[in-house]
Amino acid sequence: MKHLRIVLYSHDSLGLGHVRRNLSLASALSRRLPGLTGRQVTGILVAGTALAPGFRIPAGWDWVILPGVMKGPGGYQPRDLSVPMQDLVSLRGQLLDSLLRGFNPDLVIVDRHPTGIHLELDGALRRLRARSSARVVLGLREVLDSPEAAIAEWDCIGGARRVQELFDAVWIYGDRLVHDPVAAGEIPAALRRMVSYTGYLAAGRPEGSGKLRITGRYVMTTVGGGADGYALARLAAAAPLPAGLRHLIVAGPQMPKAQRHDLRRQERPGVVIVKALDDMLAHLSNADAVVSMGGYNSVCEILSTAAPALIVPRDHSRSEQKIRAASLAAAGYLEQHDLATLTPDVLATWIAGRAGTRVDRRSAQLNGLARVPGLAADLLQEPGLIPPLHDEITSDRLNRLAQSLRKGAAHAAV
């Protein structure tokens, strides 16, 4: 039987969050869709960063890397090519159109930005839908931005109407008891009927080597891709450590070399600074405590463990990380602190008080990677093979969440 063909698209500008989210989805779809549909999976991961092929991908998948963009003072601009932005958008659009025409996917999942950069994806999706029965999904992290900023973005692409024209469904990768972007006003109410809440893409992420970079007891600081993580990493490196603990700091592959070298010059006894890890999840699970920025993937990995966590959200650009940290802190799943008032001594006090404790996060809906393949199978209309999938909020979940809220109220902020 013919393989199911899937395309996972991300536009990519800052960080590696879109790439890592799509990699998790690719692995989950490859593992679970064959059992639901009777068809094996093959697919293409579309990204706009040259770092993407450095990640391992499931069998049957390959990469297509678009010419890169980055955010400048006036908005998006070419990352490397010396061409006008309109030429770059046209080139990317033509590449996307050729890809969808040549690969002829059964399912396309677009990460975060419905039409990509400057509507680059619009024409390709319209032509795909006109000539095939392909299903197209918009996948959204659970927090977009402040409602005002998010709605302004929707307005720029034509609002809910364009999404209704281009997509069959909207999947929100979160737990609506923790944060509901529709109720918060980040997503147009007109799209409510298209929305399914999958739960966080946390449990069941691909396993790494299991090899630890550090032995004994340690706390860990991670700043995601690292492009804007220097300030937090520097504070972490300066924090005094309790006796018997070491500090593993992951600078991230996108931290500028000069900043990474500066961190290493400040490396003190007990502090270990690395660019990246082969198995982030294994290190998080074994850590006595974790300090992190508030990116979606970092938080999902933390939620899948029992390690106590302090989230220090990005203090510029989008409000996404602040909203995420506040919502999860209110639910009792982690703690938060503003970067502007964080000092090495404050961080040291938190580490001393939390290291070695455990956090019960079983009330959170963390099974998004198990639910997405079922939603995909349902959308692809394979009769008789799809189990019922509902976004139920049971009384048991409500009771467990209420307990978490009571436990977390005292420690929602340091």
Side-chain angles (χ1 to χ4, degrees), residues 322-345:
K322 289 187 176 183
I323 296 170
R324 177 175 298 116
S327 299
L328 288 164
Y333 299 138
L334 46 77
E335 298 169 68
Q336 63 170 329
H337 200 292
D338 289 341
L339 181 63
T341 56
L342 188 65
T343 66
D345 287 339

Side-chain angles (χ1 to χ4, degrees), residues 234-305:
R234 188 176 184 184
L235 283 168
L241 292 170
L245 275 181
R246 301 172 75 191
H247 197 159
L248 176 63
I249 300 174
V250 187
Q254 291 181 318
M255 182 176 286
K257 288 183 180 180
Q259 294 180 353
R260 196 164 62 246
H261 291 162
D262 183 58
L263 283 178
R264 289 197 168 122
R265 281 196 297 269
Q266 301 175 54
E267 203 166 356
R268 300 181 301 117
V271 176
V272 177
I273 298 169
V274 299
K275 180 179 178 180
L277 293 171
D278 178 59
D279 193 334
M280 178 68 76
L281 190 56
H283 286 83
L284 290 170
S285 298
N286 282 278
D288 271 44
V290 177
V291 179
S292 175
M293 293 179 70
Y296 180 85
N297 290 284
S298 296
V299 166
C300 279
E301 288 171 333
I302 290 167
L303 290 175
S304 71
T305 77

